[in-house]
Amino acid sequence: MKIIMLGAPGAGKGTQAKKLAAKYDIPHISTGDIFRANIKKGTELGTKAKVYMDQGLLVPDELVVDLVVDRFKEPDCQQGYVLDGFPRTIPQAKALDEALAKSGDAVEYAIDVDVPDANIISRMAGRRACINCGGTYHVETIPPKQEGICDVCGGELVLREDDKPETVEKRLKVYHEQTQPLIEYYQGKNILKSVDGTKDLELVFKDIIDIVEA
Ligand code: ADP
Ligand code: ADP
Ligand code: ZN
C-alpha cells in the first residue's frame, strides 16, 4: 500500500499517517521528522534544512528528493509506506513518480486531509511534540494523560519553534502557493481522495480506512 498524505500544515497528516502505518504495519515516512532528527544530530543536512524550516520556508527540492528515494530502498518498504509531508512541490511529485516508475511502481492513494485555514492557527498553537520520540498531542483536542509528558516514552512535550503564530502564517502561505497545486496534480492521475479533517481524529481515520479498503 503506497499512500501519500496531503494537507496544510497542522491538518492532521502526521496523526493519521502514524495510525495507518500501525494498522497496516508499513513505515511512516515523514520528511519533517527526518529533518528534525538530522538537526538534533547536528548533521550537515540538518544544518542546511534548519535555515529554511525556521523561516517557515520549504527546504529546497534537491535536499529532499534523494533522501526519500533512498529511504524506499530499505527492506521495510517492500509492502508499501505512508508518506507524510512529501511531496510538497510539483517537482517533488514528478521526481517521486519517475523514481517509482523505474521499478514499475506508482503511488496508489493521495489522501488530502482538508482543514480550512481558520482552524489551522489553533491546531498549531495547541500542538505539542515530544522532544524524544516525535509523538504529537494537542493541548485541547488530544491531550497527553499527564500535562507536558509524552504518553509513549515519558519525554518532554514542547511547542515547535515553527508552530509559533508568525511562522504558521508564513507556512500557510507557502502551502497555498507551492503544495496545494498537488491536489490538482493527483486529481489528474485519478488517485486523489479527500477527507474532512475537521472531524474527530477517529472519524477522520475511519474515512481514510474506508478509502483504502474500498
Ligand atoms: P507539518 O507537520 O506542520 O506539516 P513538517 O514536520 O512536515 O510540518 O515539516 C516541517 C518543515 O520541514 C516544513 O515547514 C519545511 O520547512 C520542511 N519540510 C518537510 N518536508 C518537506 C518537503 N517535502 N519539502 C520541503 N521542505 C520540507
Ligand atoms: P500535520 O502532520 O498535518 O502537520 P498533526 O498530525 O501534527 O498535523 O496535527 C496537528 C495538530 O492537531 C496536533 O496538535 C494534533 O494533535 C491535532 N490534531 C490532529 N488531528 C486532529 C483532529 N482530527 N481533531 C483535532 N485535533 C487534531
Ligand atoms: Zn515521546
Side-chain angles (χ1 to χ4, degrees), residues 12-13 32 34 75 87 97 102 121 136 152 197 203:
K13 302 179 297 293
I34 295 172
D97 285 344
K102 279 184 193 154
I121 301 285
T136 307
V152 179
L203 296 176

Side-chain angles (χ1 to χ4, degrees), residues 162-181:
D162 62 342
D163 279 354
K164 296 191 172 151
E166 320 77 90
T167 319
V168 169
E169 274 180 32
K170 177 80 200 185
R171 289 166 68 196
L172 263 179
K173 191 166 172 275
V174 166
Y175 166 76
H176 288 301
E177 288 170 2
Q178 302 192 53
T179 308
Q180 208 172 14

Side-chain angles (χ1 to χ4, degrees), residues 130 132-135 137 150 152-155 157:
C130 172
N132 187 38
C133 75
Y137 302 83
C150 177
V152 179
C153 77
L157 302 182

